[in-house]
Amino acid sequence: YSGIYAVLGESITEGLRMYLDEIGNEAGGRKVEIVTEDTEMTPDVAQQKARKLVEQDEVDLVAGIVSTGVLYGLRDYFDANKKLLICANAGGNKISRELKTPYIWRTSFSNWQPNWPLGRWAYKNVAQKVFMSAPDYGAGHNMVDAFANSFETAGGEIMGTQFTPFPAMGDPAPFITEIKGADPPMVFCFYSGGAAVTFVQAYGEFGLSGRIPLVCAGFTVEEDVLPAEGPAALGARSALHWSLLMDNPVNRKFTSAYKEQTGKDANVFAVQGYDTGRVIAELLVAVQGDTDDVNRMVDSLPGISFDSPRGPFQLDIRSQNPTQHIYVREVQEVDGALHNVVIEDLGAFTDPGDNSLG
């Protein structure tokens, strides 16, 4: 709830509360109570807060987690204590692979999921050479690796890759200058929250917007940052598992209710919170409110599927991650504001559950 990703945490919580409010904060014959803590995006602090929630507050399960580094730092605690964690954002691939534990499931995505399909699409539709930029931490490396894997397999060439300081990029000028000097026919990047605003604004200020096509992980131009990025974001194409303007009944209802309740447009993090609320409710119904047997709770998760604002949602037993559609979106001006317009549905993707595809 603090630092450069604070808006992400707030959005997840707003979406979660909204779904639980819709069902009267009750499921499986149990009242649902939310206790919130701030990880401060620091693994050590997150471990202290997790122990407090589990050992003092005696919660039945934990949900949330914005940062991949925090998720990795919590993995051993939840595994050793056999406590269920439903991750509503952090996409670190290792949690679906070599660090997989029965007690951590995701309602969000793996970092591989939106970016591997995008690499192949970008090669066919944008350019055959690319320069890549991302923050120097787990998620940044995951996103770049996934895009590069499918882009190079398709025949593409990586002209260069830069990793910027994390969590604060600092002055973006040296990094944008490096990109400008390389003069690539396309740039791929991943940034989120405040760092996304810093990067995209600088991309525009240095004259690259509209000149060098920007292809990115969807978080870079998501609804939470687009207003601050302004015209520099126009034309950026991204891949993600949701878009504000998706025309399905669940999304229309969700986006309208979210705007009414919060006064803001929804974003993908709010969707993930909303779906996390539904997964928790479906889980409680499946176990008839009995949360004493964690293994019974875990065993019920693969059976959960529903129509989400993002489209069809189903938890995959192998990766413990959703199977979901990935959409290519383009930033356009719609009714006087910037939004992501879906230009192609790439189909449903399931994380491979290993490193076979990057």
Side-chain angles (χ1 to χ4, degrees):
Y1 295 113
S2 55
I4 63 164
Y5 287 173
V7 172
L8 283 62
E10 291 162 5
S11 298
I12 289 167
T13 307
E14 287 167 347
L16 176 67
R17 289 188 187 279
M18 196 170 98
Y19 184 82
L20 294 176
D21 285 346
E22 286 178 7
I23 61 170
N25 291 285
E26 187 172 335
R30 297 281 300 277
K31 293 293 290 182
V32 182
E33 179 185 351
I34 300 174
V35 182
T36 58
E37 292 290 348
D38 182 8
T39 68
E40 300 176 24
M41 216 168 66
T42 304
D44 288 348
V45 172
Q47 289 170 15
Q48 295 169 15
K49 299 297 179 67
R51 285 196 294 271
K52 182 258 184 189
L53 289 168
V54 171
E55 296 166 23
Q56 295 180 32
D57 298 322
E58 298 182 339
V59 299
D60 294 294
L61 58 88
V62 174
I65 314 304
V66 169
S67 160
T68 286
V70 167
L71 181 62
Y72 288 169
L74 290 174
R75 185 265 178 202
D76 288 351
Y77 178 82
F78 282 88
D79 183 65
N81 288 276
K82 296 181 170 55
K83 206 70 182 179
L84 182 59
L85 169 61
I86 299 178
C87 177
N89 189 63
N93 291 341
K94 289 181 180 179
I95 290 296
S96 294
R97 303 175 187 185
E98 58 264 41
L99 293 181
K100 187 162 63 175
T101 163
Y103 306 106
I104 298 179
W105 287 67
R106 259 195 291 244
T107 51
S108 50
F109 57 93
S110 74
N111 291 332
W112 176 92
Q113 230 170 353
N115 297 291
W116 191 90
L118 181 62
R120 191 168 56 183
W121 180 89
Y123 176 82
K124 293 177 182 176
N125 295 279
V126 184
Q128 285 71 58
K129 295 182 179 181
V130 67
F131 190 99
M132 304 193 296
S133 180
D136 191 8
Y137 78 119
H141 286 267
N142 281 177
M143 305 269 185
V144 160
D145 288 348
F147 180 92
N149 180 278
S150 64
F151 185 76
E152 289 184 308
T153 300
E157 177 187 335
I158 310 295
M159 297 177 64
T161 304
Q162 63 180 206
F163 289 103
T164 59
F166 179 82
M169 183 189 306
D171 182 5
F175 307 110
I176 304 296
T177 300
E178 183 184 10
I179 294 171
K180 191 171 184 177
D183 196 26
M186 173 175 67
V187 168
F188 168 78
C189 74
F190 155 68
Y191 289 98
S192 193
V197 175
T198 298
F199 182 88
V200 173
Q201 284 183 340
Y203 201 80
E205 289 165 2
F206 277 71
L208 303 189
S209 293
R211 186 171 77 79
I212 300 177
L214 183 64
V215 175
C216 49
F219 313 103
T220 309
V221 288
E222 186 43 27
E223 300 294 330
D224 61 311
V225 291
L226 266 179
E229 290 170 350
L234 267 171
R237 281 160 286 185
S238 66
L240 207 57
H241 44 282
W242 176 81
S243 169
L244 179 72
L245 302 180
M246 283 177 59
D247 190 17
N248 68 61
V250 181
N251 193 50
R252 288 196 299 270
K253 178 185 173 187
F254 165 76
T255 54
S256 174
Y258 189 87
K259 183 70 175 277
E260 184 177 335
Q261 289 189 27
T262 68
K264 301 175 292 188
D265 282 329
N267 56 50
V268 72
F269 311 106
V271 173
Q272 291 165 185
Y274 188 76
D275 287 345
T276 299
R278 179 155 186 179
V279 166
I280 291 169
E282 300 261 355
L283 173 63
L284 289 171
V285 170
V287 299
Q288 299 173 305
D290 181 4
T291 53
D292 289 337
D293 186 348
V294 69
N295 292 320
R296 186 180 172 208
M297 292 170 69
V298 167
D299 289 343
S300 71
L301 286 167
I304 293 176
S305 64
F306 50 83
D307 288 330
S308 155
R310 66 183 93 176
F313 175 102
Q314 181 166 8
L315 288 174
D316 169 55
I317 192 170
R318 182 183 180 198
S319 63
Q320 298 168 203
N321 196 73
T323 293
Q324 56 195 338
H325 283 241
I326 301 299
Y327 308 95
V328 180
R329 306 131 17 119
E330 182 175 79
V331 177
Q332 300 178 10
E333 187 171 328
V334 181
D335 297 331
L338 297 183
H339 294 295
N340 290 288
V341 176
V342 173
I343 59 174
E344 190 168 342
D345 180 351
L346 298 180
F349 286 84
T350 303
D351 185 277
D354 56 36
N355 291 318
S356 61
L357 294 173

